[in-house]
Amino acid sequence: MVTGGTRGIGEAISIALKEQGCTVAAVYASNDAAAKEFTERTGIAHYKFDISDYDAVQAGAAQIEKDLGPIDILVNNAGITRDGVMHKMSYQEWHEVIETNLSSCFSCAHAVLQGMREREFGRIINIGSMNGQAGQYGQVNYAAAKSGIHGFTKALAQECAPKGITVNAVAPGYVDTEMVRAVPPQVLEKIIKRIPVGRIGHAEDIARVCAFLAMDESGFITGSTISVNGGQHMY
Ligand code: NDP
């Protein structure tokens, strides 16, 4: 189950997992046209539910398991931004980002954890962010949520390790998706100058790491955060 699996980084993760032999369920929120086009192009099933709604997640995950079988791999990828400096940020902008980016990780993991524990196998991969590691002007809400994901990962990894379930995070730097395409070109040029490898990332750069962490053979890696940021922030 890949949240936000129909577009951007999540789309690349869904495809990489399918290529690795997984049956994939891609979850999305509202963009029906993108989800339809994604399924027609890739053959990967899509499921529409709001990951910021605990009950909707439990029902959605149960439906996926009914249709496709047990969820052995969870990729908590979906995320949103509501940027603004703190003194102008509304409580709603704070709350939406925390619920969608962080509380969703709890809800989705809660939906699949019992089954993983019973089967003594699981892979939970949480998409954090370089901005959760380093902080970012105008992103108090987003940085707090992403930084929370990194703590969530380490604590849950400790609880899950004896049951064959690994929990890791991937922290992307700037990646060429709609989220970053919204950045004005002159700002993007300045950003690229600060990236040692000289380019922004591709969704596939992130997907490759997720597919690796999802492999049966990656069972000795848990509680880790893998940075994929072109060397921009060495944490
Ligand atoms: P996109 O905006 O391209 O895609 C977001 C996906 O998440 C969409 O499929 C969207 O569904 C889904 N989604 C959003 N809100 C919800 C919700 N409430 N319930 C269910 N699904 C939802 O994002 P990116 O691919 O750019 O980002 C993916 C992840 O990577 C995010 O967590 C982001 O924070 C993180 N990241 C991204 C970076 C970047 O440079 N792009 C850098 C660092 C981290 P729908 O299509 O219906 O809108």
Side-chain angles (χ1 to χ4, degrees):
M1 169 167 138
V2 182
T3 68
T6 56
R7 288 200 292 120
I9 293 171
E11 172 181 341
I13 296 170
S14 297
I15 292 169
L17 289 173
K18 186 187 177 199
E19 284 172 355
Q20 205 159 279
C22 302
T23 303
V24 179
V27 178
Y28 75 107
S30 60
N31 192 334
D32 299 321
K36 184 167 176 282
E37 188 280 324
F38 163 82
T39 295
E40 283 167 1
R41 179 163 41 83
T42 63
I44 296 171
H46 61 252
Y47 288 83
K48 182 178 183 175
F49 55 88
D50 179 1
I51 55 157
S52 69
D53 176 338
Y54 179 86
D55 292 335
V57 170
Q58 308 316 303
Q63 188 61 50
I64 290 170
E65 295 205 313
K66 192 166 166 236
D67 295 348
L68 305 178
I71 298 170
D72 286 327
I73 301 167
L74 165 66
V75 186
N76 282 316
N77 162 77
I80 57 166
T81 52
R82 297 284 182 268
D83 294 353
V85 286
M86 170 84 181
H87 63 279
K88 291 185 183 162
M89 186 178 285
S90 65
Y91 179 73
Q92 193 181 340
E93 287 164 336
W94 163 264
H95 188 69
E96 271 178 33
V97 168
I98 298 292
E99 290 306 299
T100 306
N101 296 12
L102 180 57
S103 299
S104 64
C105 294
F106 175 86
S107 304
C108 292
H110 223 213
V112 301
L113 211 47
Q114 196 52 41
M116 288 181 175
R117 287 175 64 85
E118 283 161 13
R119 296 186 299 277
E120 302 206 343
F121 178 85
R123 298 281 181 264
I124 298 178
I125 300 162
N126 304 312
I127 304 301
S129 168
M130 179 178 72
N131 293 351
Q133 297 169 309
Q136 177 63 44
Y137 184 96
Q139 287 198 324
V140 163
N141 50 2
Y142 184 82
K146 292 300 189 180
S147 168
I149 284 180
H150 298 308
F152 172 87
T153 298
K154 290 180 214 175
L156 187 58
Q158 291 177 31
E159 293 182 14
C160 289
K163 287 288 185 188
I165 303 162
T166 66
V167 188
N168 291 289
V170 178
Y174 287 95
V175 179
D176 183 18
T177 66
E178 269 171 44
M179 203 182 249
V180 163
R181 267 172 234 141
V183 175
Q186 62 278 22
V187 177
L188 199 56
E189 216 170 285
K190 281 187 192 153
I191 290 171
I192 291 173
K193 282 199 180 121
R194 298 203 306 268
I195 304 174
V197 304
R199 66 167 174 88
I200 60 170
H202 305 306
E204 291 72 20
D205 292 320
I206 313 304
R208 207 168 294 121
V209 178
C210 295
F212 165 70
L213 289 170
M215 290 169 75
D216 290 358
E217 294 81 356
S218 298
F220 201 59
I221 307 169
T222 196
S224 291
T225 294
I226 301 183
S227 297
V228 188
N229 61 30
Q232 189 177 355
H233 178 69
M234 300 191 185
Y235 188 68

